[in-house]
Amino acid sequence: MYGSSDDVNWVQLGTSQTVSMASSAYVGLAVSNRTTSSLATATFDSVSVNSAAAPAITAVSATTGSIGSQVVISGSGFGATQGGSAVLLSGAAVTINSWSDTSITISIPAGATTGPMLVSVAPSMNDSNAVRFTVTTQPLPIGWLDQDVGAAGVAGSAGYANGVFTVAGAGQGTMITSTDGFHFVYQPLAGDGTIVARVVSVAGSSAAQVGAMIRETLGPGANHVYLFDYSSSLLMTERTATGASSSYQSVGSSTLPNWIKLVRSGNVFSMYGSSDGVNWVQLGTSQTVSMASSVYVGLAVSNRTTATLATATFDNVSLTSP
């Protein structure tokens, strides 16, 4: 059993249950008023029934886009031809440019709105997993994606204009937890690399986390190293074993705007700060965290609450690898 506030990020409810049933069973929607004398009436939408052969989205070329922009959806089980199948964004069909069993190219039509994007395959209209897509006049640059990681509570967002990333995120963050919650703007990174960014502004709670992160997967319990502004301090969190509780430490003071740099060399991660982006000072000691060669690197924002968003701006963002 799972619950979700947005049809994209799901949290398991309770523990899995074992109940013996025949192979053929019945699945559907049930309502009871807990009395035999009157009715309860409920409404449901976004209803789908998926079998083991349900289509699956494994990647998208963009998570933000303007009206008319193209997006490539990669995955499996889409069907060799479109037939009566569709791609839905916030429940409305988008324009299909090309269709194959593993790749669909779409265009965002006029009137499209931000929400879950999924593939619905005919004739049973089996739905895939959903990916949140933001319709905006300020989409992220090519190669950058964004999503909430873990249980954020309030859906985050990201945009880009005139060299500035604007990132909004909720969630409980990454401090002393086995399940992170934040909004992440990221790119995949193969091997060693460096991310540099200037944190320009933060609007949110005094406990908001805003900074640069490298993490092994997009799962909430992934190994990671995160260098971030926290009020007037610079802190870092790390998780050294998947699903284990994270640890944190203070590595310096902070006055916005300030520059941060996070460097990966194998499994060794080093953190740096600067007031001008030219003269750098190492923050704390280098940390050793085992990660696979392929990881994710980017900008992370959490308001340290699932009720409201923190909004941060970054400029001078760069990713480099040897």
Side-chain angles (χ1 to χ4, degrees):
M1 301 163 288
Y2 299 85
S4 173
S5 62
D6 59 7
D7 192 34
V8 176
N9 300 286
W10 291 87
V11 176
Q12 185 166 358
L13 306 172
T15 57
S16 298
Q17 304 295 309
T18 301
V19 179
S20 296
M21 294 189 191
S23 174
S24 296
Y26 298 90
V27 58
L29 309 172
V31 175
S32 163
N33 203 30
R34 297 278 290 153
T35 174
T36 57
S37 61
S38 61
L39 294 169
T41 302
T43 58
F44 304 83
D45 63 11
S46 301
V47 177
S48 66
V49 177
N50 295 336
S51 68
I57 296 175
T58 57
V60 292
S61 62
T63 51
T64 62
S66 56
I67 300 300
S69 63
Q70 288 196 350
V71 181
V72 178
I73 302 171
S74 302
S76 61
F78 301 152
T81 59
Q82 181 184 356
S85 302
V87 175
L88 305 178
L89 175 56
S90 296
V94 302
T95 304
I96 305 298
N97 301 323
S98 66
W99 190 292
S100 75
D101 190 53
T102 58
S103 180
I104 303 169
T105 302
I106 66 169
S107 293
I108 306 302
T113 58
T114 296
M117 182 167 65
L118 56 84
V119 180
S120 189
V121 175
S124 60
M125 304 315 289
N126 233 9
D127 288 348
S128 71
N129 55 305
V131 175
R132 184 173 176 82
F133 188 88
T134 301
V135 180
T136 175
T137 58
Q138 299 182 339
L140 295 171
I142 295 173
W144 287 92
L145 303 171
D146 77 303
Q147 70 171 71
D148 285 328
V149 172
V154 180
S157 64
Y160 178 84
N162 302 317
V164 177
F165 288 83
T166 301
V167 185
Q172 293 289 352
T174 64
M175 296 173 68
I176 318 179
T177 179
S178 59
T179 55
D180 304 329
F182 61 94
H183 198 73
F184 196 30
V185 180
Y186 64 91
Q187 291 191 28
L189 171 67
D192 297 343
T194 299
I195 179 170
V196 173
R198 188 175 73 146
V199 182
V200 179
S201 67
V202 180
S205 75
S206 60
Q209 292 178 266
V210 174
M213 176 184 290
I214 298 175
R215 65 189 295 113
E216 188 171 36
T217 74
L218 298 175
N223 286 8
H224 75 261
V225 176
Y226 181 24
L227 172 63
F228 58 91
D229 278 277
Y230 185 84
S231 187
S232 59
S233 299
L234 280 169
L235 275 63
M236 64 82 63
T237 61
E238 64 177 6
R239 181 178 292 111
T240 58
T242 303
S245 182
S246 60
S247 60
Y248 79 94
Q249 60 180 284
S250 175
V251 294
S253 58
S254 169
T255 301
L256 298 182
N258 69 287
W259 296 70
I260 54 176
K261 180 193 296 187
L262 181 57
V263 180
R264 181 197 191 189
S265 179
N267 288 326
V268 178
F269 296 82
S270 302
M271 300 159 291
Y272 300 86
S274 174
S275 60
D276 57 10
V278 177
N279 301 289
W280 293 90
V281 176
Q282 184 164 1
L283 304 171
T285 57
S286 297
Q287 305 294 310
T288 300
V289 179
S290 295
M291 294 190 197
S293 176
S294 295
V295 296
Y296 298 91
V297 56
L299 309 171
V301 173
S302 162
N303 204 27
R304 296 277 291 155
T305 172
T306 57
T308 57
L309 296 166
T311 301
T313 58
F314 304 81
D315 64 11
N316 293 281
V317 177
S318 65
L319 297 177
T320 57
S321 57

